[in-house]
Amino acid sequence: MDVRNCKMCGSLFNYVDGPICPNCNKKLEAKFQDVKTYIRENPKAPLGKIAEENDVPVQQLKKWVRQERLSFSEDSGIMIDCEKCGKPIRMGRYCKACKEAMSNSFKGLYDSASPRGEKKKTQSSAGKMRFLN
């Protein structure tokens, strides 16, 4: 059993999947729902005003955007930076170009990697029968 202190309130709790206790997690989820409702009603509100009106830190709002839980309309003007190149994006962690580049590099690694100890069979010996003396 892993017991830790909650990052928000400091109380002890049985650590399962996050650094905050279940009570604080419920409060944070309620705040999230409030923010979501506020954004629906005020789609052009700036990030600072959203944070101020809902009593939520801007960093928490950015975290929800990076987790793709929050998204803003195109006319809202709210953007965050790609974690790799710094280009402005609407949601997620990476811009489309960086996602494609990472995907291609992973595909290249997967295609070029062959299992260890396995040699490629030549065409001439592939279909022949072998006998032991």
Side-chain angles (χ1 to χ4, degrees):
M1 180 178 357
D2 192 10
V3 179
R4 296 187 185 181
N5 286 58
C6 176
K7 296 275 184 184
M8 291 179 76
C9 68
S11 66
L12 287 174
F13 73 103
N14 189 13
Y15 180 82
V16 178
D17 64 7
I20 59 175
C21 68
N23 292 335
C24 290
N25 195 23
K26 286 179 188 175
K27 291 176 188 175
L28 196 60
E29 278 304 308
K31 289 271 188 189
F32 173 74
Q33 294 303 325
D34 293 343
V35 168
K36 210 162 99 172
T37 303
Y38 182 84
I39 291 171
R40 260 192 230 120
E41 294 170 357
N42 305 295
K44 293 185 180 184
L47 205 56
K49 186 173 182 181
I50 295 169
E52 184 182 318
E53 292 287 324
N54 292 286
D55 195 32
V56 176
V58 174
Q59 288 304 110
Q60 183 62 50
L61 293 175
K62 287 182 179 180
K63 184 176 180 181
W64 286 331
V65 172
R66 292 207 183 279
Q67 292 172 345
E68 297 185 7
R69 294 184 71 192
L70 276 183
S71 62
F72 301 98
S73 63
E74 290 188 25
D75 59 340
S76 71
I78 296 176
M79 303 287 262
I80 58 171
D81 296 331
C82 171
E83 288 183 7
K84 189 168 183 178
C85 69
K87 191 169 147 182
I89 55 175
R90 297 223 175 272
M91 64 187 242
R93 295 178 61 191
Y94 305 105
C95 65
K96 188 176 181 179
C98 290
K99 282 181 187 177
E100 287 176 4
M102 285 189 284
S103 175
N104 289 339
S105 68
F106 291 144
K107 282 182 185 176
L109 289 173
Y110 180 72
D111 291 342
S112 67
S114 62
R116 293 182 184 173
E118 200 176 292
K119 294 181 181 178
K120 292 185 178 182
K121 294 181 180 180
T122 60
Q123 194 72 334
S124 61
S125 66
K128 293 184 178 181
M129 194 176 245
R130 295 181 184 85
F131 297 96
L132 294 174
N133 292 345

